[in-house]
Amino acid sequence: MHDFKSPTRARWTRLAMLAGLAAASFARAASEPATTAVTAGAAPPPAAAPAPVPADQHAADQRAAPTIAPQYAELARKLAKTLPEYTIEHISPSGVDGILEVLMEGNRIVYTDASGKHLFNGHLFDIDAHEDLTERRIEALTRVDVKQLPLADAFDVVHGDGKRQLYLFEDPDCPYCKKFEEQLPKINDVTLHVFLYPLTTIHPHAYEHAQSVWCSKDRQKSWTDKMLKGIDPPTAKCANPLDRNLALGEKLHIDGTPTIVFADGRVRAGTMSAEDLEHLLGGG
């Protein structure tokens, strides 16, 4: 588990809302008054002038990104009207007959049929291969180019020879980060690049504590004391990278802590055991 930056921004929490959004849209459509029929013998209605593009249709077009392939343009417009809070970024075959993958902002994935009549939110599994196809796609979409990470905005904790690399986004007041930190001393020969990532929406003093860790004379000791011993660092202020770290996390769609980035760019959110972490460090 991990602490979310905001309940409404958590990736899976927001995805779980999609079915409700769709249902609400359908309910609104059902409640609209029906068009009045022309009775027999009545004069025909005057010819209507060409109707302007409805405002909601224009908005839907804008929420359908220009990267949408032409054959999916109408489907994208339909989905954008059904799910007005989300930008449709890409539609493509899912690899399963009759099911299309819909990629939305924030690397969120749902699935639909070609008509857009049926929509489902969840993971798509290949039973025979025992593989989570959705997880595989999300892993590919969220990979990070670690060479682009600004290491000057992180501090290092080195275990053993430090030859392996991990990049951690952590909040000093996050209880799941503390559980994760308890596992890290069991991992040897690794350099931990710690990006302080205070989630002040749920931890009001996190920014202050993160700043005090960064501005301390010995960041590694201050961090270890805070996370493993519960000792708050002495209050200190200085130039710090916290705002840049928060902006970086926003760009990388990091919704919670701890978030772990491996040397090959794989991203994992949430605490894990030393055994699981060692397995993933080995490429598992």
Side-chain angles (χ1 to χ4, degrees):
M1 299 180 70
H2 66 298
D3 274 357
F4 290 123
K5 180 188 297 185
S6 162
T8 59
R9 292 186 57 80
R11 181 173 62 201
W12 300 120
T13 302
R14 289 185 68 184
L15 275 177
M17 295 170 61
L18 286 172
L21 288 171
S25 176
F26 297 146
R28 286 196 302 271
S31 67
E32 293 176 354
T35 302
T36 302
V38 177
T39 57
V53 176
D56 61 344
Q57 178 66 63
H58 178 66
D61 287 344
Q62 288 192 319
R63 288 192 299 275
T67 55
I68 301 294
Q71 66 267 35
Y72 301 128
E74 184 58 36
L75 174 60
R77 283 191 288 269
K78 182 175 183 179
L79 293 175
K81 289 177 66 177
T82 302
L83 306 171
E85 292 189 3
Y86 298 85
T87 298
I88 310 297
E89 295 188 346
H90 191 64
I91 298 177
S92 60
S94 68
V96 178
D97 289 345
I99 298 177
L100 297 172
E101 174 195 288
V102 181
L103 174 65
M104 299 183 296
E105 61 176 326
N107 295 322
R108 294 166 175 85
I109 292 175
V110 295
Y111 299 95
T112 184
D113 60 4
S115 69
K117 181 179 179 181
H118 300 95
L119 176 78
F120 71 91
N121 164 41
H123 282 225
L124 188 62
F125 291 87
D126 184 327
I127 300 289
D128 293 337
H130 302 285
E131 184 176 12
D132 184 335
L133 301 179
T134 306
E135 187 63 32
R136 185 179 69 183
R137 281 286 289 138
I138 291 172
E139 181 175 290
L141 289 166
T142 57
R143 278 187 184 259
V144 171
D145 182 356
V146 297
K147 293 180 181 179
Q148 300 301 315
L149 291 176
L151 296 185
D153 289 345
F155 66 90
D156 293 349
V157 178
V158 180
H159 295 174
D161 63 20
K163 64 183 178 181
R164 300 185 293 181
Q165 310 291 312
L166 279 179
Y167 307 84
L168 311 177
F169 288 78
E170 297 193 79
D171 178 328
D173 290 354
C174 163
Y176 302 111
C177 295
K178 293 177 181 179
K179 290 182 179 295
F180 179 59
E181 285 286 331
E182 291 171 359
Q183 298 299 308
L184 293 178
K186 303 173 186 178
I187 304 296
N188 202 20
D189 298 336
V190 63
T191 296
L192 310 172
H193 305 283
V194 181
F195 290 85
L196 294 168
Y197 199 66
L199 307 181
T200 54
T201 55
I202 51 177
H203 304 138
H205 301 293
Y207 196 100
E208 172 191 341
H209 291 155
Q211 180 175 242
S212 295
V213 168
W214 182 265
C215 298
S216 64
K217 293 182 179 179
D218 187 337
R219 292 169 185 159
Q220 180 172 338
K221 182 180 185 304
S222 181
W223 178 251
T224 300
D225 285 348
K226 171 65 174 171
M227 304 307 283
L228 299 183
K229 300 178 183 178
I231 302 173
D232 288 342
T235 300
K237 294 183 178 181
C238 66
N240 64 74
L242 300 185
D243 291 340
R244 292 194 298 274
N245 288 354
L246 293 170
L248 174 63
E250 186 81 13
K251 179 181 177 181
L252 298 177
H253 305 296
I254 293 176
D255 289 325
T257 57
T259 291
I260 306 144
V261 181
F262 291 85
D264 62 0
R266 288 172 298 160
V267 178
R268 292 290 186 276
T271 188
M272 65 180 68
S273 68
E275 181 180 7
D276 288 341
L277 182 58
E278 189 65 60
H279 174 68
L280 290 169
L281 276 166

